[in-house]
Amino acid sequence: MTDAASAQSWKVTLPCTRMEAEALEGDIAAFAMMDKPPVLMTSEAEPDSDESWRLEAYFEGKPGTAAVKLLRTLVPSARAAKPVIEQLADQDWVTMSQQGLEPVTAGRFHVRNLTGDPELPGHVNFLIGASRAFGTGQHETTSGCLMMLDRMRRVGMRFGNVADIGTGTGLLAFAALSLWPRAYATASDIDPVAVEISAENARANGVRLGTGAGRVGLFTAAGVDHPALIRRAPYDLLIANILAGPLIELAPSLCALVEEGGTIVLAGLLREQADMVLAAYRAQGMRLAQRSDRGDWPTLRLRKRPQIGWKRPRRFDSAERGEAWGFGSI
């Protein structure tokens, strides 16, 4: 490959389904080991068709056989399709890489992804650039969580110890700290790249890092498998914007980290998955306090029922750390 070819941008296109496209919103681990991972974008190939979607992967430099093969594993429905691989002009790459990055307003929050976008007066403004980590505010799961946090603050709810499990870009932890600035905030993700990006975003938005009040402590952890996450419990507010599968798997360990009367906000699940997720958390003593749907994506606010006598919950046992390997933030 010539130096000129290496410097050019390339696009690989594969067909996919809507379900596969939605799953890719949080899939950053597949290319995490690459120095320059591709930017993945999905769109409808045919309007109102769940089976006719497309995946476009933008590479800096011509993708090798291994990269294309790895891309295929993300969309199993395209195993018989021939990928379309094309070289792009530089100006086309700039245009395409910025598609879909319009600022998002959710309640009092305004999230912009490009430095050239102006701040919105009267709102809490965040600059969260597009990156390998999920959580720029574009997806309904993230904006749904922002709306839920805003509503909780408007009705006077107060929190002093907040955890954001599967933080992605750090946005939800930053938003919570802006609403309750004296709180202790903890944010974690299974992907170390997401934790690095969260730290960069914190500095870009003037969010203080650290373990004290009014600061965000960042940790790399699968589920809640980290001594610091357990030591800093119990939390009165825990946010988990991941996927339905790990939400169900992590229900016992997440609920064990929340104090009696505490709140859990869940997102990343589809409407048809809500009953299964709710059943898992009700079994741990949680009750549904509020539900808000944005398109096909519900956001659930749960409250931990106070218990008395022999049913009173014990503190989280560090020997029973919750793990959901292979899952990070959605």
Side-chain angles (χ1 to χ4, degrees), residues 27-222:
D27 198 332
I28 59 177
F31 294 96
M33 300 304 294
M34 294 179 61
D35 291 334
K36 296 178 179 178
V39 174
L40 305 182
M41 297 184 182
T42 58
S43 59
E44 290 179 292
E46 297 180 13
D48 301 320
S49 173
D50 287 346
E51 301 302 316
S52 297
W53 282 60
R54 70 170 66 90
L55 166 64
E56 295 171 319
Y58 294 87
F59 291 83
E60 189 174 334
K62 186 175 182 179
T65 303
V68 176
K69 184 177 180 181
L70 183 57
L71 193 67
R72 280 181 171 277
T73 66
L74 303 181
V75 285
S77 66
R79 55 182 172 272
K82 182 178 180 180
V84 177
I85 304 174
E86 54 188 316
Q87 186 175 354
L88 302 176
D90 287 340
Q91 61 268 30
D92 290 339
W93 165 244
V94 172
T95 300
M96 294 301 295
S97 67
Q98 294 181 355
Q99 280 189 353
L101 296 181
E102 291 296 320
V104 172
T105 301
R108 72 186 69 198
F109 300 107
H110 182 71
V111 185
R112 53 200 178 97
N113 307 118
L114 303 175
T115 55
D117 291 330
E119 294 188 352
L120 188 62
H123 288 69
V124 179
N125 288 272
F126 289 110
L127 174 62
I128 305 291
S131 66
R132 288 170 284 169
F134 182 82
T136 58
Q138 302 294 328
H139 198 273
E140 289 90 341
T141 59
T142 309
S143 58
C145 286
L146 291 173
M147 293 287 290
M148 186 67 73
L149 292 173
D150 178 64
R151 290 192 195 102
M152 290 193 295
R153 183 64 182 87
R154 290 187 186 279
V155 298
M157 298 179 68
R158 297 182 181 277
F159 301 101
N161 194 15
V162 180
D164 178 15
I165 306 300
T167 192
T169 62
L171 174 59
L172 297 179
F174 304 161
L177 197 58
S178 74
L179 297 175
W180 300 284
R182 297 181 181 179
Y184 293 82
T186 304
S188 68
D189 201 284
I190 189 174
D191 187 356
V193 174
V195 175
E196 293 174 6
I197 291 171
S198 294
E200 294 171 2
N201 287 333
R203 289 188 285 269
N205 288 278
V207 176
R208 296 184 298 170
L209 297 176
T211 57
R215 299 174 183 268
V216 175
L218 289 172
F219 305 95
T220 301

